Amino acid sequence: MKCWRLSAILFLGFMLTSLSTARFVVEKNSLSVTSPEKIKGKHDSAIGNFGIPQYGGSMAGNVVYPKDNSKGCKDFDSSFKSRPGALPTILLLDRGSCFFALKVWNAQKAGASAVLVADDIEEPLITMDTPEEDVSSAKYIENITIPSALIGKSFGEKLKDAISGGDMVNVNLDWREAVPHPDDRVEYELWTNSNDECGVKCDMLIEFLKDFKGAAQILEKGGYTQFTPHYITWYCPHAFTLSKQCKSQCINHGRYCAPDPEQDFNTGYDGKDVVVENLRQLCVFKVAKETEKSWVWWDYVTDFQIRCPMKEKKYNKECANSVIKSLGLDVEKIDKCMGDPNADTENSILKEEQDAQIGKGTRGDVTILPTLVVNNRQYRGKLEKGAVLKAICSGFEETTDPAVCLSNDVETNECLTNNGGCWQDKTANITACKDTFRGRVCECPLVDGVQFKGDGYTTCEVSGHGRCKINNGGCWHDARNGHAFSACLDDGGVKCQCPAGFKGDGVKNCEDIDECKDKKACQCPECSCKNTWGSYNCSCSGDLLYIKDQDTCISKTASQAKSTWAAFWVVLIALAMIAGGGFLVYKYRIRQYMDSEIRAIMAQYMPLDSQEEGPNHVNHQRG
């Protein structure tokens, strides 16, 4: 809690010192009363900083003031949805008791097409903003789509008196002059931040950057717009430059600072880490612009948010450089642009940012994040792709707006340039880049039933069975003299192992093992060894023959003699086996048969011991 208070005090110091001469400008649209005649005329109204103002357009409607729930702080019991053919309903509400955004949200749910909020005191018009870091309101704020504006107290009273008197009050809201449109090119700037742990607004900013990237790059590549990113920085009061707070939140000895992301000086990242990354992103834009590819900034910031988030402890230089390299930018040039953050000198890049925060002309000082400025007019409304694109398109001189402003579709194939900064295998013509309406994504692909796995930016490796048929599983392979060798093992894993006769890592190389040189073969004195790719051959001089099993050389005569004797012994053994087999047949089969025949013959002439004596037919005949 103590650290949080110190951070809050320091942040307040930044605000007081940097904004002591702040000048605020309220962006207005023109509001015209067309009836009744007694209050007819033009009046100013301050555009709300949420919802979707109809930049470049206008809206005619009928003003309704509810008798109950006049402040709009709770759900309405009745519907304000206009009937077919009738003018849209513009709901008039009183200021007070709840957030501006909640009033507009309740009116939108009840069917209103726009909202006017009447001030409760006489004062210059202010901008209706969203609640700061209110998580509970974040869901409905992002769903507000109708425009809203604040009007002065006295003008609000005139409207209410006319309505209560039974008059039909019709007004026309005109946003056509809210953004100047002098020529065929729009200049716009976005004040942003690299901190991704600053709450609801940071989350909304990240989503906007991802959504708007495709449209922004189309406009920039076509020369229709000139975009410039900016980053707010504060400085530490001189009296506190040596304090622990300033040292942890600032670089260049207190000249450029940012609040602690976690509001705790003892944990996580420090404010100076945010300042350094902000500076890096400014230099990414500067270096990319020098090569006439300023739109690459959008790729960098979106990729950095995906690959290098604070919550994964990857918000650092190493991760940032990996993103820079994947986009084909020069890391050394960017480092040189950034300079030394520990030097007790001014940084020209960040000094320009502090100077740019001060309002000029019709644009007020920039004090909150995010802030969008179009043709030097601060944008008011929801930070959402469609709404912002409408505001930018309204800044073109009539008839000069590009085709992207005249269509509902904004799409570009970002994979065609530098493969979108994603992983690819040019040999196998496989890429992790997928083009979508919202911009490209880097995801490892599924090819022929084989899934690649990795981060999609720098690595994608095949895994599972069948992996060897996809670019040989990313393993080494080669073929010579009609023989092919591969280090890929199709066992479901990702192992690359050099085959027999080779050595190496199995991925980038497998070198042929020289068995002859390593004395692993042909070791007999008479042997000669010849190495071949992936194998070896042994031979003997003269009339000697090589016997591989014994690793020795013998003469051909001896070999032939050995062969003759071997054949003799084979025949002899075969005859012996035949004789033995015949004896066994005689002993067990033929002899048994003969014995049974002899016994049968003898039984006819003399009884056997086991038989009884029968009548003697011969003696009977003689008597």
Side-chain angles (χ1 to χ4, degrees):
M1 180 62 72
K2 182 179 180 181
C3 287
W4 184 90
R5 289 176 178 173
L6 288 171
S7 180
I9 292 171
L10 181 61
F11 178 73
L12 180 60
F14 293 153
M15 295 298 293
L16 290 175
T17 53
S18 62
L19 304 178
S20 57
T21 59
R23 184 175 64 87
F24 299 94
V25 175
V26 176
E27 304 302 325
K28 302 176 182 179
N29 68 297
S30 178
L31 189 157
S32 301
V33 178
T34 56
S35 67
E37 189 68 27
K38 58 185 177 183
I39 58 173
K40 187 176 181 180
K42 288 188 175 182
H43 303 268
D44 281 336
S45 60
I47 304 172
N49 208 22
F50 45 83
I52 303 179
Q54 303 300 312
Y55 282 102
S58 61
M59 176 188 292
N62 177 39
V63 180
V64 175
Y65 179 66
K67 296 180 179 179
D68 299 322
N69 193 20
S70 62
K71 292 185 177 180
C73 293
K74 58 184 180 179
D75 289 341
F76 290 95
D77 296 329
S78 56
S79 173
F80 300 104
K81 187 175 180 63
S82 57
R83 295 178 180 179
L87 288 174
T89 300
I90 299 176
L91 201 61
L92 175 64
L93 301 174
D94 292 325
R95 182 181 179 181
S97 300
C98 62
F99 294 127
F100 290 120
L102 181 59
K103 298 174 187 288
V104 178
W105 173 241
N106 289 334
Q108 177 178 306
K109 290 191 296 180
S113 298
V115 173
L116 297 178
V117 178
D119 206 342
D120 54 358
I121 59 174
E122 291 292 349
E123 62 176 350
L125 292 176
I126 63 171
T127 298
M128 298 187 297
D129 202 359
T130 56
E132 287 291 334
E133 305 302 330
D134 189 336
V135 179
S136 61
S137 62
K139 291 184 178 179
Y140 71 75
I141 290 174
E142 65 182 19
N143 290 318
I144 296 175
T145 57
I146 63 174
S148 60
L150 181 72
I151 60 175
K153 179 182 179 182
S154 58
F155 177 49
E157 294 297 332
K158 291 180 181 179
L159 292 177
K160 285 184 277 188
D161 289 343
I163 293 171
S164 62
D167 291 324
M168 177 180 286
V169 178
N170 292 332
V171 300
N172 187 60
L173 298 173
D174 192 344
W175 292 272
R176 286 176 294 182
E177 300 300 325
V179 176
H181 40 87
D183 52 32
D184 60 355
R185 190 182 75 173
V186 171
E187 292 82 25
Y188 73 106
E189 57 193 53
L190 176 65
W191 290 83
T192 181
N193 193 3
S194 65
N195 181 3
D196 60 9
E197 289 291 327
C198 61
V200 175
K201 285 200 172 182
C202 276
D203 295 338
M204 293 174 64
L205 174 61
I206 290 172
E207 287 303 310
F208 168 73
L209 291 172
K210 293 177 182 177
D211 287 348
F212 194 68
K213 182 180 73 168
Q217 291 181 326
I218 284 180
L219 292 169
E220 202 72 11
K221 290 177 182 179
Y224 301 114
T225 60
Q226 179 177 300
F227 168 73
T228 307
H230 287 293
Y231 296 80
I232 292 180
T233 61
W234 296 274
Y235 63 86
C236 185
H238 184 71
F240 299 97
T241 54
L242 298 179
S243 66
K244 176 183 177 182
Q245 291 78 18
C246 279
K247 286 183 177 180
S248 65
Q249 311 311 308
C250 310
I251 66 173
N252 293 100
H253 289 247
R255 289 177 173 84
Y256 315 104
C257 316
D260 188 282
E262 301 86 6
Q263 301 296 320
D264 188 341
F265 298 124
N266 298 317
T267 61
Y269 291 96
D270 294 324
K272 65 181 180 182
D273 297 319
V274 176
V275 180
V276 169
E277 180 53 35
N278 289 347
L279 175 59
R280 181 177 289 108
Q281 294 187 6
L282 286 167
C283 286
V284 165
F285 177 77
K286 183 175 184 295
V287 171
K289 189 176 181 179
E290 290 173 354
T291 59
E292 298 183 352
K293 294 181 179 180
S294 59
W295 53 84
V296 175
W297 177 88
W298 291 89
D299 290 316
Y300 176 82
V301 295
T302 52
D303 281 6
F304 183 82
Q305 290 164 353
I306 295 171
R307 299 172 63 179
C308 313
M310 287 184 174
K311 61 184 178 181
E312 295 182 12
K313 308 301 181 185
K314 294 181 179 179
Y315 187 91
N316 52 47
K317 180 179 180 180
E318 181 182 3
C319 188
N321 284 346
S322 68
V323 178
I324 292 171
K325 291 177 182 177
S326 71
L327 298 174
L329 298 175
D330 192 324
V331 175
E332 292 185 1
K333 283 187 178 181
I334 292 172
D335 287 342
K336 184 177 180 180
C337 168
M338 293 176 64
D340 182 7
N342 297 316
D344 189 7
T345 57
E346 287 188 347
N347 182 291
S348 60
I349 302 294
L350 293 177
K351 183 64 170 63
E352 288 180 7
E353 292 300 292
Q354 286 185 339
D355 293 341
Q357 288 175 220
I358 301 173
K360 296 178 179 64
T362 57
R363 197 212 77 188
D365 294 341
V366 178
T367 59
I368 60 174
L369 291 173
T371 293
L372 182 70
V373 178
V374 182
N375 281 353
N376 209 38
R377 289 282 182 86
Q378 191 161 328
Y379 166 85
R380 297 298 182 189
K382 183 179 181 181
L383 197 65
E384 182 264 344
K385 176 183 174 179
V388 171
L389 185 59
K390 185 175 291 186
I392 291 175
C393 289
S394 70
F396 290 103
E397 187 179 11
E398 193 172 2
T399 73
T400 67
D401 39 9
V404 67
C405 294
L406 306 175
S407 65
N408 294 325
D409 266 350
V410 181
E411 188 173 2
T412 177
N413 190 348
E414 300 174 19
C415 296
L416 298 179
T417 303
N418 194 35
N419 198 53
C422 305
W423 171 90
Q424 67 174 331
D425 186 331
K426 294 182 179 179
T427 304
N429 194 27
I430 299 173
T431 176
C433 189
K434 295 180 181 179
D435 185 55
T436 68
F437 178 80
R438 297 179 63 181
R440 70 95 177 89
V441 293
C442 297
E443 294 180 354
C444 293
L446 175 67
V447 181
D448 293 338
V450 180
Q451 179 64 58
F452 285 71
K453 294 183 179 180
D455 62 12
Y457 292 92
T458 57
T459 59
C460 281
E461 296 180 345
V462 288
S463 62
H465 292 286
R467 57 184 289 267
C468 293
K469 66 182 180 181
I470 304 295
N471 194 28
N472 203 61
C475 303
W476 171 90
H477 65 285
D478 203 346
R480 294 183 190 177
N481 303 324
H483 298 283
F485 294 88
S486 170
C488 185
L489 299 177
D490 196 2
D491 57 359
V494 292
K495 187 176 181 181
C496 297
Q497 181 177 324
C498 291
F502 293 87
K503 62 180 179 179
D505 60 13
V507 179
K508 294 182 178 180
N509 63 77
C510 283
E511 298 178 1
D512 177 41
I513 298 174
D514 192 342
E515 290 88 351
C516 300
K517 183 179 180 180
D518 295 344
K519 304 295 183 181
K520 294 183 177 180
C522 309
Q523 297 301 300
C524 60
E526 302 88 356
C527 299
S528 62
C529 187
K530 182 181 180 181
N531 189 65
T532 60
W533 195 65
S535 184
Y536 65 94
N537 289 322
C538 290
S539 61
C540 300
S541 58
D543 62 347
L544 298 179
L545 293 177
Y546 179 72
I547 306 301
K548 186 174 182 180
D549 293 339
Q550 285 78 34
D551 191 27
T552 185
C553 291
I554 62 173
S555 66
K556 293 182 179 179
T557 304
S559 176
Q560 292 173 355
K562 287 185 176 180
S563 299
T564 302
W565 278 106
F568 171 77
W569 283 111
V570 169
V571 172
L572 184 62
I573 292 171
L575 291 173
M577 291 178 65
I578 293 171
F583 174 75
L584 292 174
V585 170
Y586 166 75
K587 182 177 180 180
Y588 292 103
R589 299 286 297 175
I590 298 177
R591 184 175 179 180
Q592 184 180 10
Y593 173 74
M594 291 175 65
D595 287 347
S596 63
E597 287 294 319
I598 293 170
R599 287 170 63 89
I601 294 170
M602 291 180 69
Q604 295 179 13
Y605 298 96
M606 57 190 334
L608 298 179
D609 293 338
S610 60
Q611 295 178 336
E612 295 181 0
E613 291 188 8
N616 191 322
H617 299 287
V618 177
N619 293 337
H620 177 72
Q621 292 175 357
R622 289 179 180 177

